[in-house]
Structure formats: structure tokens, C-alpha cells
Amino acid sequence: MLVPTFTWGAVMHWLRTLQAYPAFLRISLLSNLQYRASGAIWMIGSILEPVVYLTVWSTVARSQGGSVGGYTPEEFAAYYMTLLLVNHLTFTWVMHEFQYRVQYGHFSFALLRPIHPIHEDIALNLSFKAVQLAVILPALILLGLAFHPRFDLDPLSVALFLPALAMGFLLRFLFEWTLAMAAFWTTRVTAINQSYFSVQMLLSGRVAPISLLPSWVAAAAGFLPFYYASGFPVEVALGRLSTDQVLRGFGIQLVWITVAAAVISLVWRRSARKFTAVGS
Amino acid sequence: MNALRLLVVYFRIGLLGEAQYRVNFLFQLFETGLGMASVLAAIWVVFSQTDTLGGWKPAELTALIGIYFIVLGSINVMVAPSLQKFMEDIVTGNFDYTLTKPADAQVLVSLSEVRIWRLADVLLGAVALVVSIVRESMVVGWVEGGKFLLALLAGAVMVYSFWIVLATLAFWFIRVENILQIFWAMYTAGRWPVGIYPGWLKWTLTLVVPVAFAVTVPAEAVSGRASGTSLLGALGLACVLFAFSRWFWRVGIRKYAGASS
């Protein structure tokens, strides 16, 4: 079960689960290292997207006399460079992959193991990101040279950034894993995925920092989960939020993590029963 | 002419094959509609803060989005699925069967697969384009219309040639599907006029991946800001790229030794 309950049995179960991580990480790290180049190609899109919106908003800021919504071009550069890093560390591809796992019966193997398959997914995701940082970090340096970002970092913001990022990762992972389970019931997952990505794009802070969105859209983004996995950690790092806003954000992150974990543990058993392996 | 006849035949086969799954068209319309809505929402957010973006008015940008989807759909109806299949065929060895057929292999691999429902992209793109033109009562006369069609043709030829070059690489390398990913990543940058990008990106999108010619130049033609010389340049470049891709394909196919061991 994913929602921890504090009995001795549960604690032992969690410890045993954590013991599997080093092995998962080692295996997935090796397989990711094998396909470095193809992985690097997938990074082009992740790097280009923030560059595009950074350019768009810098153009707007300049035409509005130097700043728009409290951001100068240099501050947009800081925002989108941090977002590039955060989005790289929090994105998942499970929603694309589940369709094939069900279609080709890959779940048959995962179900035989005495451990919830989400743990292997988390390990795979972490090790892919660690390997691809070799592309992301040089890209960030080059972008820094090209766009002259202005960072006003203070130690407290940076310290708060780490838990915000970690919870953002967990939130997005659990949330997308939940949605991905729809593949057990329908073959039309691309329609669901497209709906999710369209909303996520706008409300996560990728199209614009959410303070630039029209007020009712920004209000919606303020309690939905999307922003708390991308824009929120970025704004925490850049010190753009008040203490109240940061605390409230952590609270909302925790609420959504709990909701998603509860949904996964409730739905997983039913969906595994729903799954009928394809093939001989 | 032979190529055109083959195009019609393959298109009909594809249509018949996919007509069994008509509901897919509705789903494709839904997905494309959502994709377009999300792009238009981004434009709406930007124009809630400004009146023009790098000299482009809102209606001109939505016209550009229309063209973006028209080109996207055109690639996805035939070129992308066919060449993707070609690359798989190189790996599996099925390409040998294509070579035995008495028609030009490049024509055959460019037509082999039809995703007819991706015409939904073209349809919605055309709607966006027409609505933008009508709402802004842009004057699109014969001259602009003709320039637009020429620009679109040049862009289409360049994109096709680019895909042929990428696909031809499959004769030397195996995992080329990943290289195609470069095209898709770069193409999304075409949702905004390339003129706003910093120089290095603008030139990449113009000369390396022909996004500028496929989307921005036709959109400039519609809004009446494309000069005759830039159009002639686009047409000339299209011819050069097409000739190059044809030559490159021939080099590749001469190198191909078949899949049998």
C-alpha cells in the first residue's frame, strides 16, 4: 500500500520496499547509460520549450517598456531557466507508456513481482534524469550566456526549494501514474493524455508565470495540482513568494500527494484484476 | 505523372482501410481541437498583456497557428507515417520487397502509409486561418492568395525533402526514429513567428530545420508582408533542397545491400 499506516508491519513493509531501490536504480542507470544519445535527443524539446516562451515574454516585456507583470527580461530568463531544470526533474512519461504496457502485456511480468510496480518506475525516472543532467546543465550554462538571467538568491529560498521540488516530483509522479491507469479501462488514452497536457501546459506556469494569467485562471491554478509540480518550486527558489504563500503551497502539495496516493492504492488492485494479459 | 497516379491509388487504399474506423476521426478532431485550444490559450494570455508581438497582431498570429496545423496535418497524413514505416522496414528487411516493385522506390516509400484522419488537423487549421482572415477583415486579394499558395508549396517541398534526407540516414544508422524527434521538437517552435527568436535559433529554424519556410513565410504572405524576393528565394531553396534530397536518396540506396545475411 502506498498510504503509510503506522503499525510495525507497515513500517517493516516500507523498509523492505526501500531496500529494493538500490537494485532498481543500478539496473535502470545502466540501461539508461546505454541509450545516452537517444535520450539526449529527447532533451531538445525540453530545452526548446522554455526558450520559446522566454523569448515570447522577453519580447512582450521590452515592448511594454521593460517589464510586464513584475518581470523584466532578465527575470524571465531566471524564471524559465529554473523552470527548465524543475520541469526536467519532475516530468514523467508514464502516461505515454501505460498504453503499451497494457497492449503488449508487459504488466504480466510486473505483476509477478512481490513489489508495487510504481517503485521501479520511480527508480527508472530518477536515473534517467540523473544521466540527462549531463545535457541539461551545459544547456543551462549556454542559456545563461545567451539570456543574461538575474538571480537574487537567498539561502532560505534555496533551502525551501529542495523540499518544494521533492514534493513537486512526488506529486506529479503519483498524479500522472493515477491518470495513466485509465489505460486498463479504455484504449482511448491519447484523448485523455491530450486533455491532461493541454490543461497542464497552461496552469503549471509553463506558458507564463501564473501571476501573468488572467485572474480567474490564476485562481484555478492556485488550488489545482499542476502549478505545484512546476511553477511553485521555481517561484520558491527565486524568492518571489511570501512566507504565507510558501507555507500554503507546501500544504496544497501535501494534500494532493495524499489524494493521489490514496487513489492509487484504491484503484490499483481493481485495475490489476481488470488487466488480462494479451498473448498466448 | 506516374508518381501522381500512385499517390491517388495509395491514398484510396488508405482511405478504404481507415474508413472502417470512422470514430477515430471524431477522436482525432477532439485531440487536435484540444491541442489547438491550448496553443490559442497561450496566444490569448500573451495578448492580454500586449497589443502586438514583434509586430504581429493577434489575428495574424491565429492565422499563423492555422497554417501551423495545416502543415502539421499534411506531414502526418502521409509523409511521416510512410517514412517511419520505411525506417522500420530497413530494420526488418521488408524494404527488399519494396525494391522489387517496378516503380521508383522513393515514391513508394513516401506513400506507403496513409493516416487519413489526420486530415482533421488540416481541416481545423483551415478553419482557424479563414476565421482569422474574416474576423480581422484582412484584405487577401489575388496577389496575397497566390503568394500564400506559392509560399506554402515551397515550404511543403522543403519539409518533404528534409524528411527524405532524415529517412535516408536509415541506410547507415539504425536508430533514426530518434533523429525524427529533432524535427518534431523544432517544429513546435513554429507556433510563433521565427522573427522573434534570437539569431542562433532563428537561423537554425530557417536553414537547418525548414520551419520558417513552412509556417512563418506563408503566414507573412497572408498578412501581406512577404516580399517578392523572399518568395523567390524560398522557391529557389525548395528546388535546391529537393534536388539534394533526391541525390542523397540515390547515394543511400546504392549503398543498401539488402537485409539477408
Side-chain angles (χ1 to χ4, degrees):
Chain A
M1 286 299 95
L2 278 160
V3 183
T5 42
F6 292 101
T7 62
W8 264 116
V11 171
M12 289 312 287
H13 174 79
W14 271 89
L15 283 178
R16 275 202 302 278
T17 305
L18 282 177
Q19 275 173 358
Y21 268 78
F24 276 147
L25 281 170
R26 204 170 53 240
I27 296 168
S28 54
L29 193 66
L30 287 174
S31 79
N32 273 319
L33 278 171
Q34 204 177 345
Y35 300 114
R36 298 182 295 276
S38 55
I41 285 174
W42 284 92
M43 290 298 99
I44 294 177
S46 317
I47 296 167
L48 203 55
E49 185 202 290
V51 171
V52 165
Y53 284 102
L54 164 57
T55 313
V56 168
W57 284 111
S58 303
T59 311
V60 175
R62 274 189 214 102
S63 74
Q64 297 296 306
S67 87
V68 60
Y71 284 88
T72 61
E74 291 74 22
E75 284 165 337
F76 274 122
Y79 178 88
Y80 275 106
M81 283 174 60
T82 315
L83 183 70
L84 166 57
L85 183 68
V86 169
N87 200 43
H88 168 68
L89 294 174
T90 62
F91 91 97
T92 86
W93 53 90
V94 286
M95 290 180 70
H96 298 290
E97 216 174 82
F98 255 58
Q99 184 184 6
Y100 300 103
R101 290 187 182 173
V102 174
Q103 192 179 347
Y104 295 116
H106 293 322
F107 261 121
S108 310
F109 304 107
L111 287 174
L112 284 175
R113 293 195 176 139
I115 187 169
H116 197 295
I118 198 172
H119 298 296
E120 188 179 10
D121 281 352
I122 292 180
L124 199 67
N125 191 296
L126 289 176
S127 64
F128 175 79
K129 275 132 182 219
V131 172
Q132 292 307 329
L133 275 180
V135 179
I136 296 290
L137 293 178
L140 279 175
I141 292 172
L142 290 178
L143 290 181
L145 294 174
F147 290 99
H148 314 293
R150 191 176 146 208
F151 288 100
D152 296 318
L153 298 177
D154 68 284
L156 180 66
S157 303
V158 177
L160 288 173
F161 168 66
L162 292 176
L165 176 69
M167 292 217 281
F169 170 81
L170 204 58
L171 162 60
R172 189 162 172 187
F173 203 95
L174 294 176
F175 198 74
E176 295 187 2
W177 221 86
T178 309
L179 288 174
M181 282 195 294
F184 286 109
W185 282 273
T186 171
T187 52
R188 300 286 184 183
V189 277
T190 47
I192 297 172
N193 292 355
Q194 182 72 50
S195 314
Y196 172 77
F197 292 128
S198 301
V199 176
Q200 200 261 356
M201 192 68 207
L202 185 65
L203 297 185
S204 64
R206 283 160 75 184
V207 161
I210 63 162
S211 58
L212 282 157
L213 299 175
S215 56
W216 60 274
V217 185
F223 64 82
L224 290 170
F226 313 100
Y227 164 70
Y228 294 95
S230 309
F232 175 67
V234 174
E235 291 186 42
V236 169
L238 299 178
R240 297 191 79 97
L241 300 176
S242 66
T243 319
D244 277 2
Q245 284 170 312
V246 174
L247 289 177
R248 188 169 159 272
F250 280 134
I252 296 180
Q253 280 186 320
L254 271 178
V255 168
W256 279 113
I257 288 173
T258 317
V259 169
V263 171
I264 290 183
S265 36
L266 284 176
V267 177
W268 170 247
R269 276 172 182 281
R270 298 190 54 188
S271 52
R273 224 175 289 148
K274 178 88 189 163
F275 171 72
T276 38
V278 188
S280 47
Chain B
M1 281 308 99
N2 202 13
L4 264 183
R5 231 182 56 224
L6 278 171
L7 174 77
V8 174
V9 171
Y10 272 97
F11 202 76
R12 244 191 51 218
I13 298 173
L15 183 69
L16 289 174
E18 289 227 343
Q20 303 171 65
Y21 311 105
R22 271 171 300 238
V23 183
N24 282 1
F25 182 64
L26 291 181
F27 276 94
Q28 187 62 54
L29 264 183
F30 174 72
E31 282 164 37
T32 307
L34 269 176
M36 189 181 270
S38 131
V39 180
L40 291 177
I43 290 181
W44 170 64
V45 170
V46 167
F47 282 106
S48 69
Q49 305 283 350
T50 182
D51 298 326
T52 66
L53 178 71
W56 292 68
K57 288 192 288 255
E60 292 169 343
L61 260 191
T62 51
L64 179 125
I65 293 303
I67 296 167
Y68 173 88
F69 274 92
I70 291 175
V71 176
L72 179 71
S74 315
I75 299 171
N76 273 324
V77 167
M78 248 179 160
V79 178
S82 299
L83 291 178
Q84 206 132 4
K85 178 166 176 291
F86 157 70
M87 285 183 250
E88 286 157 23
D89 282 354
I90 290 268
V91 178
T92 59
N94 284 333
F95 180 62
D96 294 6
Y97 299 113
T98 308
L99 280 180
T100 60
K101 289 183 183 156
D104 188 278
Q106 186 186 334
V107 175
L108 285 177
V109 299
S110 313
L111 304 176
S112 60
E113 193 101 347
V114 182
R115 298 275 158 76
I116 205 83
W117 302 137
R118 289 310 292 254
L119 284 176
D121 298 21
V122 179
L123 184 76
L124 286 181
V127 170
L129 177 61
V130 170
V131 169
S132 318
I133 290 173
V134 172
R135 270 196 59 184
E136 197 61 8
S137 43
M138 275 191 237
V139 189
V140 182
W142 286 108
V143 182
E144 285 85 7
K147 275 184 177 174
F148 165 67
L149 287 179
L150 273 182
L152 202 58
L153 178 74
V157 170
M158 279 189 243
V159 169
Y160 171 72
S161 311
F162 184 75
W163 272 76
I164 284 290
V165 170
L166 285 188
T168 305
L169 290 175
F171 286 121
W172 288 274
F173 311 105
I174 295 173
R175 296 177 64 93
V176 204
E177 316 93 89
N178 291 311
I179 297 183
L180 293 178
Q181 206 49 46
I182 300 179
F183 176 83
W184 291 123
M186 293 288 191
Y187 188 71
T188 54
R191 292 168 181 175
W192 305 89
V194 296
I196 66 167
Y197 295 130
W200 56 272
L201 187 54
K202 187 164 51 187
W203 287 109
T204 312
L205 293 172
T206 308
L207 296 174
V208 184
V209 183
V211 175
F213 288 108
V215 184
T216 308
V217 175
E220 284 173 344
V222 168
S223 51
R225 62 180 83 190
S227 65
T229 42
S230 77
L231 265 183
L232 279 180
L235 282 172
L237 196 60
C239 294
V240 171
L241 247 172
F242 186 74
F244 172 76
S245 67
R246 179 74 183 154
W247 168 81
F248 191 56
W249 167 265
R250 289 224 169 133
V251 172
I253 210 164
R254 212 170 301 141
K255 192 245 164 211
Y256 180 70
S260 53
S261 50

